[in-house]
Amino acid sequence: MSDLILGIETSCDETAAAIVEDGKKIISNVVASQISIHQKYGGVVPEIASRKHIECIIPVIDKALDESGKKITDLSAIAVTYGPGLIGSLLVGLSVAKAIAYAQNIPFIGINHLEAHIYANLLEHNEIKPPFVCLIVSGGHTSLVYIRHFGEYELLGQTKDDAAGEVFDKIAKVLDLGYPGGPITERLAKEGEPSFIKFPRPLLNDKSYDFSFSGLKTAVIYYIKELKKENKNIPISNILASFQQAVIDVLVEKTIKAALKYKTKQIILAGGVAANSLLRKEIKKKANSLDIKVFYPSTFLCTDNAAMVASAGYYKFRENKKSSLNLDAVSRLPLERIN
Ligand code: KG4
Ligand code: ZN
């Protein structure tokens, strides 16, 4: 008999529910995005996000059930993100998941959001086998992780300041391009010249696997401010292409370096920035020349969704790793601390 897992995700500004069969087959996948609400603020407003989750969570779960053609009594377990993320937002999904699990008397499984991003890959790629190196790169995180076995994570390095996605969002905000900045930057950068401005590549040649993007962000903002001060024309596409290239150069270099050091033949990309086609192209080019394979999820599975939560939940369910109904939301939850 197959196992149906309901996944729930409310860690940031997406209210999402999905039903996944046996960790692989997405039966339904509903994402209610709050982008249009937060857009006018140029970023996510936590208090608004949690209120919106409260409004949306039940309709989103109902829709996921409706679209799946399954009944709530068909579910084998419920998996929900309990951290990291915005505490008020996390609490909404967590409370609803606990209530359904209790009422249906089925296992309740708390999932680390970063682990879920990694598992998004398993929904589509059967060939992935540890050990591998994973670059988790999103609006909240930029981390390089060595995965010896599933569930065993070694953090190799992470950003010391801003996450890569966060910097895409901030630069777009400064240029009044809207939120989120990643997809808009990618689109406009296609028209620009990546070598137009030589922006810094922080920590590129540093021995560690850490990242730092705030200096790059400041350099780009300063460049734009100077042009504005002098009333000069702002070459948006060239600025964005040059900025994007700087971020990607660093991400690619460090990830390849880690894969070589740890002698892995697979690199996995995860998180919202993994949707970036230049990142995908450049890392694949370099890795393939070294006989290393690169995997990443389809774009709709790179950004926040609940199918990835259900997938991670399935593997825990199979290992009988349930969570207690006392599980709390944890805003700063490291990947290595898996419940
Ligand atoms: O994983 P995600 O949906 O949420 C977090 O867990 O943070 O990632 C959202 C981030 C945003 O910062 C967004 O600008 C970025 O991913 N992003 C991109 C692209 N699509 C989304 N960054 C660069 N290029 C893209 N195509
Ligand atoms: Zn995420």
Side-chain angles (χ1 to χ4, degrees):
M1 220 184 72
S2 61
D3 286 312
L4 284 182
I5 312 289
L6 168 64
I8 297 177
E9 158 65 43
T10 62
S11 68
C12 190
D13 59 341
E14 256 96 33
T15 318
I19 294 176
V20 172
E21 188 177 326
D22 291 339
K24 290 261 175 237
K25 190 168 170 203
I26 302 174
I27 311 278
S28 63
N29 186 27
V30 180
V31 182
S33 171
Q34 304 177 5
I35 283 178
S36 57
I37 298 159
H38 299 285
Q39 220 153 24
K40 59 174 170 287
Y41 306 102
V44 178
V45 184
E47 191 52 41
I48 298 176
S50 34
R51 266 186 268 154
K52 257 317 200 209
H53 284 308
I54 293 173
E55 278 173 35
C56 295
I57 188 73
I58 300 294
V60 163
I61 293 173
D62 279 345
K63 192 162 180 231
L65 278 166
D66 275 357
E67 288 182 2
S68 72
K70 307 284 180 187
K71 297 189 293 294
I72 202 160
T73 48
D74 296 331
L75 298 175
S76 315
I78 299 198
V80 60
T81 302
Y82 75 102
L86 302 170
I87 199 80
S89 294
L90 288 165
L91 280 169
V92 177
L94 193 62
S95 312
V96 172
K98 283 181 185 175
I100 301 174
Y102 183 71
Q104 295 298 319
N105 195 22
I106 51 174
F108 158 78
I109 304 158
I111 298 292
N112 182 306
H113 182 78
L114 301 177
E115 194 179 26
H117 271 303
I118 298 173
Y119 274 83
N121 280 283
L122 294 194
L123 286 161
E124 299 181 310
H125 306 298
N126 289 321
E127 320 89 282
I128 295 178
K129 292 237 161 15
F132 57 80
V133 162
C134 179
L135 172 70
I136 306 175
V137 66
S138 69
H141 298 270
T142 306
S143 308
L144 258 175
V145 184
Y146 176 60
I147 291 127
R148 200 180 313 268
H149 307 287
F150 282 116
E152 205 186 305
Y153 303 98
E154 187 185 332
L155 181 68
L156 305 178
Q158 61 187 330
T159 181
K160 293 165 179 266
D161 39 60
D162 295 1
E166 189 181 353
V167 178
F168 273 92
D169 296 338
K170 288 202 178 137
I171 303 290
K173 186 177 177 182
V174 169
L175 288 168
D176 282 327
L177 298 173
Y179 170 84
I184 311 160
T185 300
E186 180 175 352
R187 189 160 40 81
L188 296 176
K190 284 204 174 98
E191 320 283 313
E193 176 49 59
S195 57
F196 188 76
I197 312 143
K198 183 86 182 149
F199 286 127
R201 273 105 172 119
L203 301 184
L204 181 69
N205 298 313
D206 178 76
K207 280 205 299 292
S208 79
Y209 297 103
D210 287 333
F211 301 92
S212 165
F213 292 110
S214 85
L216 168 61
K217 175 188 72 185
T218 310
V220 179
I221 294 175
Y222 188 77
Y223 184 86
I224 297 165
K225 277 199 177 141
E226 283 298 302
L227 289 178
K228 278 187 182 164
K229 215 161 63 190
E230 292 163 22
N231 263 332
K232 285 198 179 137
N233 182 35
I234 299 180
I236 291 184
S237 290
N238 284 334
I239 294 174
L240 293 178
S242 304
F243 152 71
Q244 179 178 250
Q245 191 65 54
V247 174
I248 285 166
D249 281 355
V250 181
L251 294 175
V252 171
E253 177 74 21
K254 295 251 165 175
T255 308
I256 296 282
K257 194 172 89 172
L260 290 175
K261 170 82 198 305
Y262 285 81
K263 298 190 169 57
T264 62
K265 286 287 160 202
Q266 297 190 334
I267 287 174
I268 272 78
L269 304 181
V273 183
N276 187 282
S277 48
L278 188 71
L279 170 64
R280 292 169 170 201
K281 195 174 108 195
E282 299 226 333
I283 201 162
K284 247 168 73 179
K285 199 166 95 194
K286 205 151 193 178
N288 291 351
S289 72
L290 296 162
D291 204 22
I292 298 170
K293 277 194 94 170
V294 178
F295 298 93
Y296 42 78
S298 296
T299 300
F300 78 102
L301 292 171
C302 283
T303 45
D304 288 350
N305 66 87
M308 66 185 194
V309 178
S311 173
Y314 167 77
Y315 293 96
K316 299 216 183 290
F317 173 72
R318 291 303 302 258
E319 291 173 27
N320 215 10
K321 286 184 179 157
K322 300 175 221 165
S323 306
S324 147
L325 287 175
N326 291 325
L327 182 72
D328 235 332
V330 185
S331 174
R332 291 178 173 272
L333 180 67
L335 181 60
E336 308 93 288
R337 205 180 109 198
I338 300 292
N339 77 309

